[in-house]
Amino acid sequence: MDIQIEMRQKWMATLAKSNLNQLETKVAEIGTLPEYSFIRPPEIGLTMVRGRAGGTGQVFNLGEMTITRCTVNIEEVIGFGYVAGRSYRHAELAALCDGLMQLPEWHDLVQSIVIEFLEAEAKRKMETQQCQTEATKVNFFTLARGDE
């Protein structure tokens, strides 16, 4: 897969999974943003979530989930935002950041202020969750009993 596609998928996932308050704070730190227009204003819809029996078996429809999507145009570049739930603002900011990340003059600034912070927060949150899960782990063991 193209390295640019992989990088874009990574930052889009980071934006989609981020906390809205943290995202708003970091976007505000960027300062004055370029003008942008909506190609598709934020809208709420449903998507089908699919699963596999046993993780590898037959595909089945698990159910629907609510998503919010948005598409913006920044200097002839199109930014997309798809987020779980019902947050117009989150979808808009995700689309805005995706568009800015595609512009060479904005990429490094958005990467350093927004994306790197959100990735570090996601990593910290995951590590905290792993530690909490590990603390509840129960180790079962069996002693071999001999015939007497």
Side-chain angles (χ1 to χ4, degrees):
M1 186 182 299
D2 188 353
I3 189 75
Q4 290 179 330
I5 293 173
E6 287 180 23
M7 289 172 48
R8 187 169 183 206
Q9 287 174 342
K10 186 178 176 185
W11 80 58
M12 288 181 79
T14 299
L15 292 165
K17 295 175 186 175
S18 68
N19 175 288
L20 175 58
N21 293 332
Q22 291 175 337
L23 180 57
E24 280 188 321
T25 301
K26 289 301 177 181
V27 169
E29 286 180 21
I30 294 173
T32 305
L33 297 169
E35 292 289 320
Y36 64 94
S37 60
F38 291 112
I39 294 174
R40 175 180 290 135
E43 59 187 0
I44 296 171
L46 295 172
T47 189
M48 181 59 67
V49 178
R50 301 183 83 191
R52 289 189 175 272
T56 59
Q58 184 72 25
V59 176
F60 65 95
N61 292 336
L62 185 62
E64 293 179 327
M65 89 178 247
T66 306
I67 63 166
T68 306
R69 69 181 181 179
C70 181
T71 308
V72 298
N73 182 6
I74 310 166
E75 299 176 16
E76 303 304 318
V77 170
I78 298 175
F80 296 93
Y82 287 84
V83 299
R86 306 170 67 89
S87 177
Y88 290 139
R89 184 69 176 150
H90 194 168
E92 179 182 348
L93 290 175
L96 173 62
C97 288
D98 176 51
L100 291 174
M101 287 290 289
Q102 296 176 67
L103 296 169
E105 62 273 18
W106 286 92
H107 181 275
D108 291 341
L109 183 64
V110 176
Q111 177 71 31
S112 63
I113 293 176
V114 180
I115 305 298
E116 288 176 3
F117 172 81
L118 295 175
E119 286 174 345
E121 280 299 302
K123 183 178 179 184
R124 185 194 59 76
K125 185 177 177 182
M126 185 180 70
E127 288 171 353
T128 300
Q129 184 177 9
Q130 286 176 342
C131 287
Q132 291 172 344
T133 303
E134 187 66 28
T136 64
K137 182 178 177 184
V138 177
N139 291 317
F140 293 95
F141 62 92
T142 305
L143 294 174
R145 297 188 334 190
D147 293 332
E148 293 183 28

